[in-house]
Coordinates of all heavy atoms in Angstrom, one line a residue:
G150 N -11.8 -10.1 -2.5 CA -10.8 -10.5 -1.5 C -9.8 -9.3 -1.2 O -9.9 -8.4 -1.9
G151 N -9.0 -9.5 -0.3 CA -8.2 -8.5 0.2 C -6.8 -8.5 -0.4 O -6.0 -7.6 -0.2
E152 N -6.5 -9.4 -1.4 CA -5.2 -9.5 -2.0 C -5.0 -8.2 -2.9 O -3.8 -7.6 -2.8 CB -5.1 -10.7 -2.9 CG -4.9 -12.1 -2.0 CD -6.2 -12.4 -1.3 OE1 -7.3 -12.1 -1.6 OE2 -6.1 -13.3 -0.4
L153 N -5.8 -8.0 -3.8 CA -5.6 -6.8 -4.7 C -5.3 -5.5 -3.8 O -4.4 -4.8 -4.0 CB -6.6 -6.5 -5.7 CG -6.5 -7.5 -6.8 CD1 -7.8 -7.4 -7.7 CD2 -5.4 -7.3 -7.6
P154 N -6.2 -5.2 -2.9 CA -5.9 -4.1 -1.9 C -4.6 -4.3 -1.3 O -3.9 -3.2 -1.1 CB -7.0 -4.1 -1.0 CG -8.2 -4.8 -1.7 CD -7.5 -5.7 -2.5
A155 N -4.2 -5.4 -0.8 CA -3.0 -5.5 -0.1 C -1.8 -5.3 -1.0 O -0.7 -4.5 -0.7 CB -2.6 -6.9 0.5
M156 N -1.9 -5.6 -2.4 CA -0.9 -5.3 -3.3 C -0.8 -3.8 -3.6 O 0.2 -3.2 -3.8 CB -1.1 -6.0 -4.6 CG -0.8 -7.6 -4.4 SD -1.7 -8.6 -5.6 CE -1.0 -8.3 -7.1
V157 N -1.9 -3.2 -3.7 CA -2.0 -1.8 -3.8 C -1.2 -1.1 -2.6 O -0.4 -0.2 -2.9 CB -3.5 -1.2 -4.0 CG1 -3.5 0.3 -3.7 CG2 -4.1 -1.7 -5.2
M158 N -1.6 -1.4 -1.4 CA -0.8 -0.9 -0.3 C 0.6 -1.0 -0.3 O 1.4 -0.2 -0.1 CB -1.5 -1.4 0.9 CG -2.8 -0.8 1.3 SD -3.4 -1.2 3.0 CE -2.2 -0.1 4.0
V159 N 1.1 -2.3 -0.6 CA 2.5 -2.6 -0.6 C 3.2 -1.7 -1.7 O 4.2 -1.1 -1.5 CB 2.8 -4.1 -0.9 CG1 4.3 -4.3 -1.2 CG2 2.3 -5.0 0.2
D160 N 2.6 -1.6 -2.9 CA 3.2 -0.8 -3.9 C 3.4 0.7 -3.5 O 4.4 1.3 -3.6 CB 2.4 -0.9 -5.2 CG 3.1 -0.4 -6.4 OD1 3.1 0.9 -6.6 OD2 3.5 -1.2 -7.2
A161 N 2.4 1.3 -3.0 CA 2.2 2.6 -2.6 C 3.3 2.9 -1.4 O 3.9 4.0 -1.3 CB 0.9 3.0 -2.2
I162 N 3.3 1.9 -0.6 CA 4.2 2.1 0.7 C 5.7 1.8 0.3 O 6.6 2.7 0.6 CB 3.8 1.2 1.8 CG1 2.4 1.6 2.3 CG2 4.8 1.3 3.0 CD1 1.8 0.5 3.2
A163 N 5.9 0.8 -0.5 CA 7.4 0.4 -0.7 C 8.1 1.5 -1.6 O 9.2 1.6 -1.4 CB 7.2 -1.0 -1.6
R164 N 7.4 2.1 -2.5 CA 8.0 3.1 -3.3 C 8.5 4.3 -2.5 O 9.2 5.2 -3.0 CB 7.3 3.6 -4.5 CG 5.8 4.2 -4.1 CD 5.0 4.4 -5.3 NE 5.5 5.4 -6.2 CZ 5.5 6.7 -6.0 NH1 5.0 7.2 -4.9 NH2 5.9 7.6 -6.9
L165 N 8.0 4.4 -1.2 CA 8.4 5.5 -0.4 C 9.7 5.1 0.5 O 10.2 6.0 1.2 CB 7.2 5.9 0.6 CG 6.1 6.5 -0.2 CD1 4.9 6.8 0.7 CD2 6.3 7.8 -1.1
V166 N 10.0 3.9 0.4 CA 11.1 3.5 1.2 C 12.4 4.0 0.5 O 12.5 3.8 -0.5 CB 11.2 1.9 1.4 CG1 12.5 1.4 1.9 CG2 10.0 1.4 2.2
P167 N 13.4 4.5 1.3 CA 14.5 5.2 0.7 C 15.2 4.3 -0.2 O 15.4 3.1 0.1 CB 15.4 5.4 1.9 CG 14.4 5.7 3.1 CD 13.2 4.7 2.9
E168 N 15.6 4.7 -1.3 CA 16.4 4.1 -2.4 C 15.5 3.3 -3.3 O 16.1 2.6 -4.3 CB 17.6 3.3 -1.8 CG 18.6 4.1 -1.1 CD 19.7 3.4 -0.6 OE1 20.3 2.5 -1.2 OE2 20.0 3.6 0.6
V169 N 14.2 3.0 -3.0 CA 13.6 2.2 -3.8 C 13.3 2.8 -5.2 O 13.4 2.2 -6.3 CB 12.1 1.7 -3.2 CG1 11.2 1.1 -4.3 CG2 12.4 0.8 -2.0
L170 N 12.9 4.1 -5.2 CA 12.9 4.8 -6.5 C 14.3 5.2 -6.8 O 15.1 5.7 -6.0 CB 12.0 6.1 -6.3 CG 10.5 5.8 -6.2 CD1 9.7 7.1 -6.1 CD2 10.0 4.8 -7.1
H171 N 14.6 5.2 -8.1 CA 15.9 5.5 -8.5 C 16.3 7.0 -8.1 O 17.3 7.4 -7.5 CB 16.1 5.5 -10.1 CG 16.6 4.2 -10.5 ND1 17.4 3.5 -9.7 CD2 16.2 3.4 -11.5 CE1 17.7 2.3 -10.4 NE2 17.0 2.2 -11.5
N172 N 15.2 7.8 -8.5 CA 15.4 9.3 -8.2 C 14.6 9.6 -6.9 O 13.4 9.7 -7.0 CB 14.8 9.9 -9.4 CG 14.9 11.4 -9.3 OD1 15.4 12.0 -8.3 ND2 14.4 12.2 -10.3
D173 N 15.4 9.8 -5.8 CA 14.8 10.0 -4.6 C 13.8 11.2 -4.4 O 12.9 11.2 -3.7 CB 15.8 10.0 -3.5 CG 15.7 8.8 -2.6 OD1 14.8 8.0 -2.8 OD2 16.6 8.8 -1.7
V174 N 14.2 12.2 -5.3 CA 13.3 13.4 -5.2 C 11.9 13.3 -5.8 O 11.1 13.9 -5.6 CB 14.1 14.6 -5.8 CG1 15.1 15.2 -4.9 CG2 14.5 14.4 -7.2
S175 N 12.0 12.1 -6.7 CA 10.7 12.0 -7.5 C 9.5 11.8 -6.7 O 8.4 12.1 -7.1 CB 10.8 11.1 -8.7 OG 11.1 9.9 -8.2
A176 N 9.7 11.2 -5.5 CA 8.5 10.8 -4.6 C 8.0 12.1 -3.9 O 6.9 12.2 -3.4 CB 8.9 9.7 -3.6
E177 N 9.0 13.2 -3.9 CA 8.7 14.3 -3.1 C 7.7 15.3 -3.9 O 7.1 16.1 -3.3 CB 9.9 15.0 -2.8 CG 10.6 14.6 -1.5 CD 11.9 15.2 -1.3 OE1 12.1 16.4 -1.5 OE2 12.9 14.4 -0.9
F178 N 7.9 15.3 -5.2 CA 7.4 16.4 -6.0 C 6.2 15.8 -6.9 O 5.9 16.3 -8.0 CB 8.4 17.1 -6.9 CG 9.3 17.8 -6.1 CD1 10.7 17.3 -5.9 CD2 9.0 19.1 -5.5 CE1 11.6 18.0 -5.1 CE2 9.9 19.8 -4.7 CZ 11.1 19.2 -4.5
E179 N 5.5 14.8 -6.4 CA 4.6 14.2 -7.3 C 3.1 14.5 -6.7 O 2.9 15.2 -5.8 CB 4.8 12.8 -7.5 CG 4.6 12.1 -6.1 CD 5.2 10.8 -6.0 OE1 5.6 10.2 -7.0 OE2 5.1 10.2 -4.9
S180 N 2.2 13.8 -7.4 CA 0.7 14.1 -7.0 C 0.6 13.7 -5.6 O 1.0 12.9 -5.0 CB -0.2 13.3 -7.9 OG -0.1 13.6 -9.2

Side-chain angles (χ1 to χ4, degrees):
E152 282 74 16
L153 286 169
M156 287 156 70
V157 166
M158 284 190 69
V159 170
D160 193 285
I162 296 165
R164 63 189 289 290
L165 299 174
V166 170
E168 293 175 56
V169 168
L170 293 185
H171 271 323
N172 178 2
D173 248 357
V174 287
S175 63
E177 275 172 41
F178 293 103
E179 62 195 0
S180 293

